[in-house]
Amino acid sequence: MKFFIDTADIDEIRDLAATGLVDGVTTNPSLVAKTGRDFFEVLSDICSIVPGPVSAEVAATDTETMLAEGRALAKVADNIAVKVPLTPDGLKACKTLADEGTQVNVTLCFSAPQALLAAKAGATFVSPFVGRLDDIGQDGMGLIGEICEIFQAQPEITTEVLVASIRHPIHVTDSAKMGAEVATVPPKVLRQMFQHPLTDKGLDAFLNDWAKTGQSILKAKAAE
Ligand code: G3P
């Protein structure tokens, strides 16, 4: 499974990219607005840190303007994936951009029929929003399972399921069980994935017991 970071905060991206576990970044207009920075400068900074796909979303709703915006965004760096909404105009733009060799992430997906259309339009990624469905009492993970089942039953589909709107680590592990290729996670969730109280407790015990030996691994090595 590939892990993308769902943020436009460059400090968070730099910090988490240093773990070597980050395969890409997804942004959206709300995440960019939160930075208070110029969109193209933010994208350029992100692309200089993360070599994997960096999703940059268009702001237009009509195909022709989406194409103009998408082509401008794609010029920022080779690893830009242009993000378009899952609408008829968005999928028309997706088809043209994909045919031009641009990576496209089709976003705001909330149903299996929508996901199938995104794949038909040649999307590199389709982003079903699991958390927003859960937020209104619908079965977000059920959608992920349905999309993965369909895509796995259709070998000609190369579109990757990019699970988005993730709220906690279980969304990630359940998506992995279903065969989703990518999870895009808020920084907080990636950090939560590292954490377990028994890991902390066990490490403390190991270090306390090691300290009682009075030994030092590096000093022993230096003495050779
Ligand atoms: O960035 C796409 C998606 O992950 C945002 O979802 O629900 O956290 O705003 P949400």
Side-chain angles (χ1 to χ4, degrees):
M1 175 174 255
K2 289 176 274 192
F3 295 147
F4 290 7
I5 300 296
D6 197 27
T7 185
D9 183 317
I10 200 68
D11 293 331
E12 289 277 35
I13 292 167
R14 187 177 291 110
D15 181 52
L16 291 170
T19 65
L21 302 175
V22 173
D23 300 300
V25 174
T26 52
T27 70
N28 64 44
S30 303
L31 292 171
V32 172
K34 274 174 72 174
T35 70
R37 295 185 59 202
D38 175 85
F39 187 21
F40 284 87
E41 288 178 10
V42 168
L43 289 176
S44 181
D45 287 351
I46 295 173
C47 291
S48 70
I49 296 169
V50 177
V54 175
S55 291
E57 190 162 341
V58 298
T61 53
D62 67 289
T63 300
E64 285 314 307
T65 315
M66 281 182 192
L67 287 173
E69 291 182 347
R71 288 166 180 147
L73 293 169
K75 285 179 180 165
V76 169
D78 291 343
N79 55 322
I80 287 285
V82 175
K83 226 182 188 183
V84 297
L86 213 158
T87 62
D89 277 67
L91 293 193
K92 280 191 275 186
C94 173
K95 184 84 175 66
T96 301
L97 290 168
D99 290 347
E100 293 172 355
T102 299
Q103 292 186 90
V104 183
N105 178 1
V106 175
T107 191
L108 290 169
C109 174
F110 293 96
S111 76
Q114 283 185 319
L116 204 47
L117 289 175
K120 189 76 177 173
T124 312
F125 307 105
V126 62
S127 292
F129 280 35
V130 58
R132 292 194 190 184
L133 287 167
D134 288 0
D135 292 345
I136 61 169
Q138 294 191 7
D139 183 4
M141 284 316 304
L143 172 62
I144 304 306
E146 197 179 4
I147 295 171
C148 287
E149 181 185 355
I150 292 168
F151 282 22
Q152 287 157 22
Q154 298 291 325
E156 79 282 359
I157 290 180
T158 58
T159 301
E160 296 188 352
V161 180
L162 194 167
V163 183
S165 187
I166 283 179
R167 298 282 188 269
H168 49 68
I170 304 298
H171 277 157
V172 180
T173 50
D174 282 352
S175 297
K177 288 173 189 172
M178 294 171 176
E181 289 86 354
V182 189
T184 191
V185 295
K188 174 189 170 208
V189 172
L190 188 61
R191 295 194 172 95
Q192 283 173 329
M193 289 175 70
F194 282 99
Q195 302 302 320
H196 196 289
L198 289 182
T199 302
D200 298 340
K201 185 179 178 187
L203 184 56
D204 286 344
F206 285 160
L207 297 179
N208 287 334
D209 290 343
W210 174 253
K212 292 170 188 166
T213 71
Q215 297 179 59
S216 163
I217 292 168
L218 289 182
K219 280 182 185 167
K221 187 71 182 163
E224 280 181 8

